[in-house]
Amino acid sequence: MLTLVLQNHREYLRLMLLEPSLLSALETPAFIYREAEIFRRLDLLSMVRERSGGRILYSVKALPFTGVLDLIRPHVDGFAVSSLFEARLASEVLRLGGGAGSLHITTPGLRAREIEELAGLCGAISFNSLEQFRRLQPRLEDRASAGIRVNPGLSFLNDPRYDPCRPFSKLGVPLDDLARALAEDTGLADRIEGLHFHTLFESRSLAPLGLTLEKIERILGPAMDGLRWINLGGGHLLESSDEAWELAGMIQDLRARRRVKVFIEPGKAMVGKAGSLVTSVIDRFERDGKAVAVLDSGVHHLPEVFEYQKTPSVAEHRSDGPFECLLAGCTCLAGDVFGEYRFAAPLKIGDKLVFENVGAYSLIKASRFNGYDLPAIYILGTDGRMGLTKRFGYEDYRRQWTAESL
Ligand SMILES: Cc1ncc(COP(=O)(O)O)c(C=O)c1O
């Protein structure tokens, strides 16, 4: 079924292009999600699943929009969540889809008051610390399978802002601490059914995963014998079938070596490339000899541009274009600037510009700063039709910001 998209490459390319006629009809700012790209990723992941026997969860934190969860749900084994609200929403999507699939959760933010509900909603809970485990695991009462998130202490990223293995990390139990606890408390191993780790960010290589597994198995050794499952987290971009094959091989080997169920929980790989933000130029002027274009969007719609000082890719940018322009956001923040780009012609008011590959971690982090609304959400179907699936308005803003008494 899904392979239809990959088999017909020309058709796929057509669906990936945001044609000018589609764009001109669009009210901006707007996110567009392309079904064809989501299905291409699901195709790759189905291949991983079929080849390796591994299980695929979509990490909903990247984009919890149910219009997209509904597309993904039939092709995955469930969802990975990080809070009670994500768990509730994802379980509604599973229930409406017929009930198949399970939820895995791990978070430093588990609240004691939520554990009973989470135990009922989730198939597995990976506790983030031994302290969290000791306090809350006894309350699961055999409802959810208990695991531990480990921190393998191997850094593959040079930016501590998104390196879960940074010094003094709050994420996961250091391997040596877990090995010591298992040696001191012989009953502990019986209560830990699974291991979880997540250490990568936008990785294009499977080598870090191999090194991580090797270290975990070396340090925990026979203590892993009673495990029922291992969750390898997300963090891979999985852009090519070569990467998918390699991942499948690693999962297959791990399953054979340890006789466990193996899960992965990609987020960005599933929706990152599928999403674009379409904006319009609403003002144009020169400052200190540089052309500046103000857009009807801003870094409040793409917060990672500001958080990580990224320059997002713009479809209309031409590296050899004669006209340079600074693209600026519409809010009062002086640093609300996307960056400098080059264009074939000077930008005019009303021109539409498309930020590409912004499908993950954008909308979920987006805000209504300065009272500018969240972008509408469209889905471009594999039939070439574009459907408006969500539009926000003043009522949403008002509901968010009015006191209970009003
Ligand atoms: C525990 C966990 N699993 C999965 C993911 C998904 O990662 P990505 O979107 O990079 O694949 C994250 C992202 O932060 C995470 O923290």
Side-chain angles (χ1 to χ4, degrees), residues 57-63 80-82 105-108 149 162 164 171 196-203 231-238 264-271 360-361:
L57 308 170
Y58 164 60
S59 183
V60 310
K61 70 181 78 179
L63 176 73
V81 298
S82 26
I105 186 168
T106 185
T107 168
R149 176 173 179 170
Y162 38 80
L171 297 169
H196 179 288
F197 62 91
H198 168 81
T199 58
L200 300 172
F201 178 81
E202 297 185 357
S203 179
N231 184 326
L232 313 182
H236 289 102
L237 285 180
L238 289 175
I264 57 168
E265 45 182 39
K268 189 169 211 160
M270 214 88 99
V271 295
Y361 304 109

Side-chain angles (χ1 to χ4, degrees), residues 166-185:
R166 63 193 254 159
F168 317 111
S169 175
K170 66 180 182 191
L171 297 169
V173 181
L175 287 176
D176 290 333
D177 291 6
L178 181 59
R180 202 173 317 112
L182 287 165
E184 285 167 3
D185 175 354

Side-chain angles (χ1 to χ4, degrees), residues 91-108:
S91 73
E92 273 188 62
V93 170
L94 291 180
R95 201 169 51 245
L96 291 174
S102 80
L103 303 183
H104 276 218
I105 186 168
T106 185
T107 168

Side-chain angles (χ1 to χ4, degrees), residues 28-223:
T28 64
F31 273 92
I32 299 180
Y33 281 88
R34 296 176 204 76
E35 266 184 15
E37 179 60 23
I38 294 173
F39 286 163
R40 190 176 82 85
R41 295 320 179 92
L42 286 168
D43 251 347
L44 284 178
L45 287 160
S46 299
M47 192 169 84
V48 171
R49 198 221 237 150
E50 274 155 37
R51 180 128 207 259
S52 68
R55 309 200 175 191
I56 316 287
L57 308 170
Y58 164 60
S59 183
V60 310
K61 70 181 78 179
L63 176 73
F65 181 49
T66 62
V68 168
L69 298 188
D70 283 336
L71 290 178
I72 292 175
R73 181 199 46 77
H75 311 289
V76 292
D77 300 287
F79 297 117
V81 298
S82 26
S83 64
L84 179 60
F85 284 3
E86 282 191 359
R88 282 184 186 165
L89 190 66
S91 73
E92 273 188 62
V93 170
L94 291 180
R95 201 169 51 245
L96 291 174
S102 80
L103 303 183
H104 276 218
I105 186 168
T106 185
T107 168
L110 275 188
R111 270 89 165 138
R113 65 172 186 270
E114 297 173 348
I115 195 71
E116 265 81 28
E117 186 176 348
L118 284 170
L121 293 174
C122 298
I125 300 186
S126 296
F127 293 92
N128 182 61
S129 69
L130 284 168
E131 292 74 4
Q132 200 189 54
F133 178 89
R134 290 194 178 108
R135 247 188 351 265
L136 301 178
Q137 180 273 338
R139 289 172 54 187
L140 300 188
E141 290 172 354
D142 294 331
R143 277 171 300 181
S145 175
I148 290 279
R149 176 173 179 170
V150 290
N151 187 320
L154 283 178
S155 282
F156 301 101
L157 305 162
N158 53 16
D159 188 330
R161 283 175 300 182
Y162 38 80
D163 179 7
C165 297
R166 63 193 254 159
F168 317 111
S169 175
K170 66 180 182 191
L171 297 169
V173 181
L175 287 176
D176 290 333
D177 291 6
L178 181 59
R180 202 173 317 112
L182 287 165
E184 285 167 3
D185 175 354
T186 45
L188 183 60
D190 294 340
R191 293 189 286 140
I192 299 176
E193 296 188 338
L195 280 192
H196 179 288
F197 62 91
H198 168 81
T199 58
L200 300 172
F201 178 81
E202 297 185 357
S203 179
R204 289 191 162 82
S205 159
L206 271 306
L209 179 60
L211 292 170
T212 304
L213 282 171
E214 186 276 319
K215 183 169 177 189
I216 293 174
E217 292 185 272
R218 178 162 44 78
I219 294 187
L220 296 182

